[in-house]
Amino acid sequence: MLEQGALIDRDAVWQIKREALELVHEVPLGPGRRAAYDAFREEQGQALEDHATWCALAEAHGADWHRWPDGLRDPRSDRTARARRELAHRVDFHSWLVWLTDTQLTAAQRAAREAGMPVGIVHDLAVGVHPGGADAWAQREYFAAGMSVGAPPDAFNARGQDWGLPPWRPDRLAASGYAPFRALLRGLFRYAGALRVDHVMGLFRLWWVPEGHPPTEGTYVRYDAEAMLAVLVLEASRAGAMVIGEDLGTVEPGVREALRARGVYGTSVLWFERDWEGDRRPLPPRGWRADCLATATTHDLPPTAARLSGEHVDLRDSLGLLTRPPREERAEAAADTAEWRELFLRLGLMEPGASEEAEIRAVHRYLLRTPARMIGVWLPDGVGDRRPQNLPGTWSQYPNWRLPIADARGRPMTLEALTASPRLRALLSTLRQ
């Protein structure tokens, strides 16, 4: 039970939802909804047909298309066409689910705008797709077989990273006029007031890791950044949306300048904003760039409470992710936060001996003093959750994306508890002021 601290079992949740949805699917649509559904299927065309076909085949043969019977691995084969006809009811069911999702996302963005949110929903463009999923099956000619996207060793992860995602083939993208990239963006901008592009440096180059090799043996492969950015900016302009690039980690010279010249915002995380070319101390607020989303943390980093307490080092140590003695890591983390606390005190953002909750509010007061055009709030910071939602460098070692959000005592919170949380309300009040 989630209220007792259990992890989210997404397969079990999907099974329950699927059974309910299957019952609803058997109810005939009224004339108006039937016309809307038929129009949606016609509009989405082959892409929707491919997705729904993969879903139906995955139910019959497993979720990794590489292990399907011969013939079904090719979305254009005669055997796949026969299977699509035989599974027509399941193909329709999964097409219907996509239509429901489309109507709900459209309604959510409309409700956000009507409630006074000038941007509304910010959607996310992941750096890649699942190698066994529908995208890799239906568009396999555009993905590099036997390769995975990752990151070279850096200050955050000395071992490098392998994300297990197949990279785009730049030659095939160019030959297609970037058609699959355009279609992907149009699908996202359909509901978005803004789009966050994960690892935006991937529009310039990606770290390719050969299958069976560690990330340290990868290499950079370049893309036509001029073309990729042109497509991105064009689709954003057509949608009247803004773009936020996650430009964190190893960023080659010229990338941030190229993004800024095209109106693409960057991402600035407080703990990384130091005078790296000078005294290496925390940047004063006026030293920050304006064209960015400023945050205290991200989904790949510790919540602020864990950063301030040093618990993030203990977690990484327990999972064997440290490359230096734990004592050195803890000392460095403590020195880092001490410098930030000193700056917050000097700026009058908090009082000496402030509580953890007051310190987190001070962090966000600091962000408000920067010229950043957008401020991001990580929901766990609002309720005091100390656990990272995702811990890079782990797979089965840590329950990534399975943790229900919890309060400072580790108690899972319902939506009602979140909206009524005095701690969260106090933080948001600080931001409004």
Side-chain angles (χ1 to χ4, degrees), residues 13 46 76 96 156 162 168 176 239 248 283 307 316 398:
V13 171
Q46 188 68 56
R76 305 292 170 252
W96 175 76
F156 182 64
D162 181 349
W168 290 113
S176 72
L248 303 172
L283 277 181
R307 171 81 65 169
R316 293 175 64 80
Y398 184 78

Side-chain angles (χ1 to χ4, degrees), residues 46-213:
Q46 188 68 56
L48 177 60
E49 187 88 349
D50 286 341
H51 170 80
T53 299
W54 180 91
C55 291
L57 290 171
E59 290 176 336
H61 302 288
D64 186 352
W65 62 269
H66 296 93
R67 300 182 180 182
W68 291 354
D70 291 340
L72 295 182
R73 300 171 198 164
D74 180 359
R76 305 292 170 252
S77 71
D78 291 339
R79 184 169 181 180
T80 298
R82 288 197 303 273
R84 182 182 292 116
R85 292 192 294 270
E86 293 167 359
L87 297 169
H89 185 70
R90 298 307 295 175
V91 171
D92 180 73
F93 172 68
H94 289 288
S95 298
W96 175 76
L97 291 182
V98 176
W99 174 63
L100 289 184
T101 304
D102 178 86
T103 60
Q104 291 170 3
L105 285 171
T106 300
Q109 174 66 348
R110 181 172 60 250
R113 289 282 178 81
E114 290 174 352
M117 298 172 67
V119 174
I121 296 175
V122 180
H123 281 285
D124 192 89
L125 173 60
V127 71
V129 300
H130 194 289
D135 298 272
W137 175 72
Q139 304 183 75
R140 61 180 181 172
E141 68 270 25
Y142 296 112
F143 295 100
M147 292 289 173
S148 175
V149 175
D154 57 23
F156 182 64
N157 197 318
R159 303 176 190 273
Q161 299 178 55
D162 181 349
W163 302 326
L165 311 173
W168 290 113
R169 281 189 53 165
D171 57 336
R172 297 281 176 82
L173 280 179
S176 72
Y178 296 86
F181 186 50
R182 289 200 317 270
L184 176 64
L185 292 171
R186 286 179 183 175
L188 288 165
F189 281 125
R190 184 180 178 96
Y191 326 101
L195 178 67
R196 174 192 172 273
V197 181
D198 188 36
H199 194 68
V200 72
M201 298 82 75
L203 301 179
F204 298 76
R205 64 179 185 179
L206 274 175
W207 187 256
W208 285 25
V209 181
E211 185 177 348
H213 291 259

Side-chain angles (χ1 to χ4, degrees), residues 8-24 59 90 93-94 97:
I8 298 171
D9 186 340
R10 297 191 182 277
D11 290 335
V13 171
W14 165 236
Q15 181 178 344
I16 294 170
K17 288 185 174 182
R18 185 186 64 217
E19 292 173 358
L21 288 164
E22 286 170 344
L23 293 174
V24 177
E59 290 176 336
R90 298 307 295 175
F93 172 68
H94 289 288
L97 291 182

Side-chain angles (χ1 to χ4, degrees), residues 167-286:
W168 290 113
R169 281 189 53 165
D171 57 336
R172 297 281 176 82
L173 280 179
S176 72
Y178 296 86
F181 186 50
R182 289 200 317 270
L184 176 64
L185 292 171
R186 286 179 183 175
L188 288 165
F189 281 125
R190 184 180 178 96
Y191 326 101
L195 178 67
R196 174 192 172 273
V197 181
D198 188 36
H199 194 68
V200 72
M201 298 82 75
L203 301 179
F204 298 76
R205 64 179 185 179
L206 274 175
W207 187 256
W208 285 25
V209 181
E211 185 177 348
H213 291 259
T216 52
E217 295 180 12
T219 188
Y220 277 117
V221 174
R222 290 203 168 273
Y223 292 76
D224 187 339
E226 289 288 334
M228 299 283 278
L229 285 170
V231 174
L232 173 63
V233 172
L234 175 62
E235 295 303 329
S237 177
R238 284 174 170 169
M242 58 196 301
V243 180
I244 304 160
E246 189 230 9
D247 53 347
L248 303 172
T250 303
V251 185
E252 65 177 321
V255 167
R256 290 192 173 108
E257 292 77 8
L259 295 173
R260 184 170 60 248
R262 291 163 177 80
V264 177
Y265 285 13
T267 302
S268 293
V269 178
L270 181 135
W271 310 106
F272 301 156
E273 292 299 308
R274 288 175 170 270
D275 183 6
W276 297 111
E277 297 180 359
D279 60 13
R280 304 177 72 86
R281 292 185 62 80
L283 277 181
R286 65 179 180 278

Side-chain angles (χ1 to χ4, degrees), residues 356-378:
E356 173 190 286
E357 188 176 344
E359 286 188 323
I360 292 176
R361 289 201 296 269
V363 166
H364 289 83
R365 288 192 186 100
Y366 173 90
L367 294 176
L368 289 171
R369 290 200 179 187
T370 72
R373 301 187 189 280
M374 299 182 71
I375 303 296
V377 179
W378 182 231

